[in-house]
Amino acid sequence: MALAVTVATVGEAVARIAYASSDVVLSVQSALDSESEFSPTLRALSSKHTPGIVAKEPQVLAIRHNVDPLLSAFQPLRAGKIVSVTTSSSILLPSVPHLYKLAQYPIVIHVALRPYGQPEYSEIASIRQCGFLFLQSETLLEGQDIALTAHALALKSGKGVINFFDPANSSKDDHISPEDQRLLRNLLDTDAAQDYRATSGGESSLYVDEGRHPTILENGVPSNETRGLPQAGTRVSLEAPETKGRNGEESSVGSSERESSIDSRPTLSSATSISSTTTRPVTSEDVHTFLSGIWSQIRAATGRSYNLFEYSGPADAESALFIFGSTGVFVDELLAARSSNEFAKCGLLTARLYRPWIGPALVESIPQSVKRVAVLEQFRRKTVKWGPVLMDVLTSLKTGPSPSSAPIIVGHQLGYIEPSTARQALRGIFQNLKSPTPIQNLEVGSRLQSRDLLNEYSLEQPKVETAYMKILDQVFGQRLHVANRLGSVDAGISPSIAASPEFGFGSLLARMDHRQKFVAEVEDAAASRDFVTNAPQKWLREWALNAEDPKRANILAQEVIARLGTDGSRLAAQLLSSKRLFFKESQWLIGSDAWSYDLSNSGIHHVIASGANVNMLIIDSQPWSERAAADATRRKKDIGLYAMNYGNAYVASVAVYSSYTQVLEAMIEADQFNGPSVIVAYLPYHKEDDSPLTVLQETKRAVDLGYWPLYRWNPNNEDSGEPNFQLDSERIKQELEEFLRRDNHMTQLMNRHPEFSANLSESYGTEVRTLQKRRAKDAYDKMLESLFGAPLTILFASDNGNAESLAKRMGRRGRARGLKTTAYAMDDYPLEDLAKEENVVMITSTAGQGEFPQNGRAFWDSIKEAGDLDLSQIRYTVFALGDSHYWPRKEDKIYYNKPGKDLDARISFLGGSHLVEIGLGDDQDPDSYHTGYNEWEPKLWQALDVDKVEGIPEEPPPITNEDIKIESNFLRGTIAEGLEDTSTGAIAASDQQLTKFHGTYMQDDRDLRDERKAEGLEPAYSFMIRCRLNGGVATPSQWLQMDSISGAYGNETMKMTTRQTFQFHGVVKTKLKPAMRAINKALMTTIAACGDVNRNVMVSTAPTESAYHRDVHQISAKIADHLLPATSAYHEIWLKDENDKQTKVAGDAIIDQEPLYGPTYLPRKFKITIAIPPHNDTDVYAHDIGLIAIKGSGGRLEGFNVLVGGGMGVTHNMKKTYPRTGSMFGYIPADKIHIVCEKIMLVQRDNGDRKNRKHARLKYTIDDMGVDVFKHKVEDLLGYQFSPPRPFHFKSNIDTFGWQKDEFGLNHHTFFIENGRVEDTAAFPMRTGLRELAKIHTGEFRLTGNQHLCLSNVRDTDLDSIKALMRQYKLDNVQFSGLRLSSSACVAFPTCGLAMAESERYLPKLITKLEACLEENGLRQESIVMRMTGCPNGCARPWLAEVAFVGKAYGAYNMYLGGGYHGERLNKLFRSSIGEDEILEIMRGLLRRWAVEREREERFGDWTVRAGVIKATREGRDFHDDVAEEESEDEG
């Protein structure tokens, strides 16, 4: 039996009613990741798409309290939406300017008073004249009814209503039932809501009086009348007022005439633009009438009664308490009073309707027997002698029908009352009240301590925003002074005030003045003879001369303080009492984009206008993705532009997740600038606890599209002849462009950066996409006009190119049959033309979890939502490409070809008729999707009556990689010409294959694809460059040069790959050639780092055996050089000198032939690695050739055991593809090994599959031929046989972290570099630290095969300085969990075009979530090899891990178990297509079992096999057999 739903808190009750009664609910929260009283309920209702009464599905918008939240109400209100706000009282006073205008709209603001348990009612009293109607509730049940009343009243009156309450007052009330839906529907005047929606007008400034005010039609219909806008209102007839004064006077008295913004007189002469005989303003009488009607309905439905003023107590009471505050503490005492009790003759009064204040209703509510009234006001910020409620009560009673008999009124200030002292407090109140000379404004209860009161609103810096504070601390250290730092103690000052720019600026001015006086004191002291010794004077004079120079002053300060400390004089002691002033601070104000809403009146303006040397860091947190939904009436200004226009300030626009280096440069330059400096810093987030990945993606979009340009502006640069403006990103927005065009800055910028000119001249945000679609289609249609035959429009959606390839091939075949064919990507097609087409073919592949490919999503969204699109005139068919086994579980079979099936159903629903039924292509068919396609296409030609056309020309075969290679002229292609083409950031498709041989891949930033497409831009193309670094060994000089390249040409990061080399990302085409030259200048190269050739040769780092490592490393270099491609194309394309001549590198000869490779090179890539036992840290079993170094009797290298046929690449659900471990061929002496590698490569060259690249690797060649046959072919080429393998032993395949010594006494330290990414972050300036180490290190940097770094050959004499730098930059920390230290991930998103899921950016977070379980089970230090890749191609060698996660779709992974800890055994599929929750559940269970069941020193992978969790994989062809989760064969 289901439990009945109940409502527990007044916040929940109010939120439910606000949601049901509104089109839009603004949920104001202190932070987006912290809850208010209302937000959990609102979020729950919204997430469930719960329908409302006023709106089908109300919109809930969460807004931070410090960003002027009520501004967000204007846009929906002016658009005719019914709006409510849920908030704490903290926003009321700052929002006063908006309240006066909002009062003329039917908006409801629900206010929870703060601080909790000790609320401040003065904020309500302070805004009493703003024109709103004010309602108050005290209990949970009242809170529900009054919230309902507020919404009904707003609709009936057309006025704004503020419903306020103390949430703590009802915290102990019993739970209640949810609101009565029938009552809610009856009370909410939906006709009035519809009429109001018709009032939506155009744009209007916040500062212009619209003339809007509610009026009553003389026939009784209230209306919202606005000059220039149509009338709107509710449809409730006015009735004669029920409440009169005792002598029949109207209900309005002096108090309301003076203070209420609603005219209490029903005078008709106050009408608006319509004659006074037809309209008049809404008066307090009308409000009273509306309330009476609303409360009558509530009483009839529930039995609960409400009045304007609520009296409870005996009818013959002699005294009364009028409480404007929390009543709960007194209610129990008063209601429990017996006849003999001292409170027996006392009643309690509260205002249900606070504004308009209707005095006669108060008079009527008080028994005539009452002689004395105590007014208790819960105000802690007393600003006037007589409280406003006291004056209201006094005026009402003293100007009533019998002023001479009015009761005595005594005011009291109500403080905090402990429940246990409530009786004592009441006793004090009544003693004072009954006194012949009562004390006015007597304080009752205790006041909050000042610090408690000031901290009533929790001000916290959002977690993500700490990034910039950390950088400031790193850059300036002890010099840093943040004037408005949160948490600092400012006696008597509210935290909200202390955090403001105005207060911070004032405190800085005082601080600077204090220091100037101190400098004067020092100058006087330097001339004084009051020191004991003569030493201080000299140092003081020098310090005074340099007091404003931060670097010099701070160095001298240490010396001055030391001299004064040893002097002992009174003057020295006096100066030392202010010794902090000897240091020149870097003074900062820190703020948020909340400061940008009213710049001309803000502290920002004061700082800039003053010219003072103050630095401001202003963090803007609005995500780019929200900019389109931004409220146009929110007056957020561009602070950077404002400051630049002022002319005297240094200005920078930065984004730490885009360019850490630029942030550092800007902060240093701001500190050095003598004047005001403004750094606007981007840190976009939706919630304060957003992940760094979310912030990174939002930042990239904003910077890439010009929404947040990176720049620096220094007006002092003119003095040195330098340009004021420095652009640090490639695109700028329109407002900035207009500023730069003034004073010729734009021209200068284009001249300096001609490669950016196309971007710079095109303003951000231009809506060109629709125009592009239209022009492209019109041009194509015009071209086809001269052709004959039936038209055929082919639309495709394709992620990997297969659907696009089919569409274009169909287009060619259709034209050959006489059809007028056109082919478009779905998103490039103007949807409005679809109904005019005759024959339409739609071809779509399947992405992710049954999703449309990226270039078809917008088309599908439009088709899906287009309910009025009539397609009855078109004939259509659909062909869908998918994989029936990709989602193996029965419940997931719906994802098989889902986009095509959905599209077919939708077009049919919209009236389209089939040419032929939908065709389904399945990757599991014998010929993949071609099987289904070849059955479907002939039916289409038959339906179009072109199936029997004769003389159709034979189609040329598709161009393959083999064709590209053989036609490339030894890898030249048209690469050089493509690099010169500035019209695009891309190169030709064939050249994209060839550049791999040169060590670079073209990629695009997948985080930006959708946004750039929406802006009509091509993808954000860039290039990945991979170096060839034999054995992973680099010099300190090379490290510095690689670091410089990453900053100058890449994305400011370096990736250390699983192949022991450097990789750079984000290199745009214009920087590609300079980057290549810089790499070669470092005596490194990139040729053969990728492509169908032998790639980088790997070697174990072996830090404890330096001589042995040197032997092995020399062999690796010999192998690499021997197998290097001989073409001169690399030098010709990338390395030309000033005279356009080829440049030789390291003395290599320039030739144009390939004696080893031939013109077509190898069938696929070829990889060689060397492992030095006992460490298999290069995964020797995973490569085409794996060499196991064998040590001779003298401790030096003797030879190698040779493994052949390893390989990692796999295709999901294609069982013909599999990973394989190398087969042991035998032993070869060291001096012959390079020849052996050559012969193995040649056998693969001549026998590998060149028709099917998925079957072209050596592992398939060796399995197809048989190990023995392949081995004999190698031996035939060698002329001798392999010797039997020598014994060896591996004990791990992970790195050994921390310090180790080798046989020469040299030191080696292996750093943990998570997933090989070398970058600076606010929390960890790793890249900077490694750069500083490289400047002083004299040994080697060894990159490991696990993506870590070994600092090698450190002398004992250098240890102290090395360790000091490591501590400074946190590089000495290797105290991570064994799981984290043993983990590895590939790059995946955003740059890898093959990635299906996150990897490098996600694995660290997943491990963090598992570490608590490791701790619980005592496994924190246990090593478990865990690897993750974004696709099954295996870059991080996941198939050898004990636990592996391989991306299947975004957020979904295949899970593999059972790999060998030493890298010798493949793992096997355990679960398919699981998300994070299931991963965590499975892993936690397995880890708990392993902790209990494992045998001594049994590794996790071995245990999973022994325990029967997974079956062991004996060889590659066994990989897909006996998996733990069989893939279902049926489609379900």
Side-chain angles (χ1 to χ4, degrees), residues 29 46 48 159 231 246 279 286 337 364 437 503 509 627 662 980 1043 1096 1126 1151 1176 1178 1324 1352 1407 1444:
Q29 299 164 214
S46 179
K48 294 175 183 176
K159 296 282 293 180
Q231 291 184 355
R246 287 178 184 164
T279 66
D286 301 324
E364 284 192 348
T437 57
F503 177 85
L509 290 179
R627 92 276 176 225
Q662 192 235 6
E980 298 299 321
D1043 176 86
N1096 196 53
I1151 55 177
N1176 183 19
T1178 61
F1324 186 17
S1352 291
I1407 291 174

Side-chain angles (χ1 to χ4, degrees), residues 1354-1517:
V1354 179
R1355 295 189 298 264
D1356 285 347
T1357 54
D1358 297 330
L1359 264 181
D1360 289 344
S1361 57
I1362 292 287
K1363 288 183 176 180
L1365 271 178
M1366 288 170 59
R1367 282 193 300 273
Q1368 179 181 344
Y1369 290 99
K1370 306 177 185 177
L1371 290 167
D1372 57 345
N1373 183 16
V1374 293
Q1375 300 305 309
F1376 300 98
S1377 68
L1379 177 62
R1380 191 176 297 274
L1381 291 172
S1382 307
S1383 66
S1384 183
C1386 70
V1387 175
F1389 284 102
T1391 52
C1392 178
L1394 301 174
M1396 302 171 181
E1398 291 284 0
S1399 181
E1400 178 190 327
R1401 302 194 294 192
Y1402 173 59
L1403 182 59
K1405 294 194 298 182
L1406 179 65
I1407 291 174
T1408 297
K1409 294 179 179 181
L1410 286 170
E1411 283 175 329
C1413 179
L1414 294 172
E1415 292 276 8
E1416 291 169 7
N1417 292 282
L1419 300 174
R1420 177 176 171 78
Q1421 303 305 321
E1422 296 295 333
S1423 173
I1424 303 173
V1425 178
M1426 176 182 284
R1427 294 176 181 169
M1428 177 177 281
T1429 57
C1431 77
N1433 287 290
C1435 291
R1437 302 188 287 275
W1439 317 117
L1440 291 171
E1442 296 179 282
V1443 187
F1445 300 100
V1446 179
K1448 195 83 178 287
Y1450 201 86
Y1453 299 84
N1454 279 0
M1455 180 178 181
Y1456 297 82
L1457 294 175
Y1461 182 74
H1462 305 148
E1464 81 289 359
R1465 183 179 63 240
L1466 295 168
N1467 50 34
K1468 194 178 288 291
L1469 179 66
F1470 180 70
R1471 290 288 183 271
S1472 177
S1473 310
I1474 58 176
E1476 182 180 278
D1477 290 344
E1478 198 167 352
I1479 289 172
L1480 293 174
E1481 181 183 358
I1482 292 170
M1483 282 301 301
R1484 286 165 180 159
L1486 290 175
L1487 291 172
R1488 281 192 289 268
R1489 284 188 59 190
W1490 180 48
V1492 174
E1493 299 175 13
R1494 62 176 173 163
E1495 297 176 350
R1496 181 177 176 83
E1497 298 186 356
E1498 185 177 28
R1499 295 295 180 180
F1500 181 76
D1502 296 336
W1503 169 80
T1504 60
V1505 173
R1506 183 182 62 80
V1509 177
I1510 200 79
K1511 291 189 177 180
T1513 300
R1514 304 301 177 188
E1515 63 165 339
R1517 285 173 292 190

Side-chain angles (χ1 to χ4, degrees), residues 592-897:
S592 72
D593 49 352
W595 289 5
S596 65
Y597 290 108
D598 194 7
L599 282 177
S600 59
N601 294 309
S602 73
I604 295 175
H605 167 81
H606 301 325
V607 172
I608 297 171
S610 73
N613 188 12
V614 172
N615 305 309
M616 286 187 288
L617 175 67
I618 300 165
I619 300 172
D620 191 306
S621 58
Q622 184 182 44
W624 179 88
S625 59
E626 292 180 0
R627 92 276 176 225
D631 189 340
T633 59
R634 296 182 64 85
R635 306 154 300 143
K636 184 173 178 179
K637 302 297 192 302
D638 189 318
I639 296 175
L641 277 176
Y642 182 85
M644 284 194 288
N645 274 296
Y646 216 94
N648 70 330
Y650 173 90
V651 184
S653 174
V654 304
V656 67
Y657 279 86
S658 179
S659 177
Y660 179 90
T661 302
Q662 192 235 6
V663 176
L664 293 180
E665 291 172 341
M667 288 179 174
I668 292 169
E669 290 171 2
D671 180 63
Q672 294 171 345
F673 184 80
N674 187 18
S677 297
V678 178
I679 296 179
V680 283
Y682 197 49
L683 202 71
Y685 56 87
H686 304 274
K687 290 189 174 183
E688 283 78 356
D689 60 351
D690 271 358
S691 70
L693 174 56
T694 302
V695 179
L696 170 68
Q697 291 172 323
E698 286 285 357
T699 302
K700 287 168 64 176
R701 295 181 186 117
V703 173
D704 177 76
L705 294 172
Y707 172 76
W708 191 270
L710 307 184
Y711 63 82
R712 285 167 287 155
W713 167 272
N714 190 337
N716 289 352
N717 282 356
E718 291 180 351
D719 300 337
S720 58
E722 295 291 325
N724 289 0
F725 186 84
Q726 171 66 46
L727 182 66
D728 296 316
S729 59
E730 294 186 27
R731 296 183 64 81
I732 58 176
K733 55 184 174 180
Q734 185 175 1
E735 297 86 352
L736 182 56
E737 179 188 332
E738 291 170 356
F739 170 80
L740 292 172
R741 288 195 186 281
R742 299 196 302 267
D743 303 327
N744 205 31
H745 291 299
M746 176 63 82
T747 301
Q748 295 173 16
L749 189 59
M750 287 185 176
N751 289 339
R752 292 203 312 275
H753 301 287
E755 68 274 21
F756 295 166
S757 59
N759 288 339
L760 296 174
S761 60
E762 179 183 313
S763 299
Y764 158 77
T766 53
E767 297 297 332
V768 299
R769 191 64 181 162
T770 302
L771 184 60
Q772 288 175 337
K773 292 181 185 180
R774 169 56 52 210
R775 286 178 177 172
K777 186 172 187 299
D778 289 349
Y780 212 118
D781 289 345
K782 188 172 183 180
M783 183 188 75
L784 290 175
E785 285 176 0
S786 60
L787 300 179
F788 298 96
L792 178 64
T793 300
I794 306 166
L795 306 179
F796 63 85
S798 180
D799 256 351
N800 57 13
N802 289 336
E804 180 177 2
S805 176
L806 282 182
K808 292 180 176 178
R809 188 176 72 179
M810 172 174 282
R812 291 192 299 270
R813 291 180 174 181
R815 283 192 292 274
R817 285 170 166 76
L819 300 175
K820 293 192 293 187
T821 63
T822 57
Y824 307 94
M826 289 181 184
D827 282 1
D828 291 337
Y829 180 82
L831 183 61
E832 63 271 18
D833 286 359
L834 187 59
K836 306 171 190 175
E837 300 289 356
E838 186 174 334
N839 302 305
V840 181
V841 173
M842 301 180 186
I843 303 176
T844 177
S845 57
T846 305
Q849 199 160 358
E851 299 158 6
F852 266 82
Q854 277 191 313
N855 60 354
R857 289 177 188 170
F859 178 86
W860 168 242
D861 289 342
S862 300
I863 284 283
K864 188 171 54 176
E865 299 298 328
D868 56 350
L869 183 62
D870 181 7
L871 299 182
S872 59
Q873 301 303 312
I874 75 166
R875 297 193 301 164
Y876 81 98
T877 185
V878 175
F879 186 79
L881 293 81
D883 184 339
S884 59
H885 287 188
Y886 199 79
W887 300 96
R889 303 178 186 182
K890 287 186 177 181
E891 62 269 26
D892 293 338
K893 286 297 180 180
I894 58 169
Y895 301 133
Y896 168 57
N897 275 325

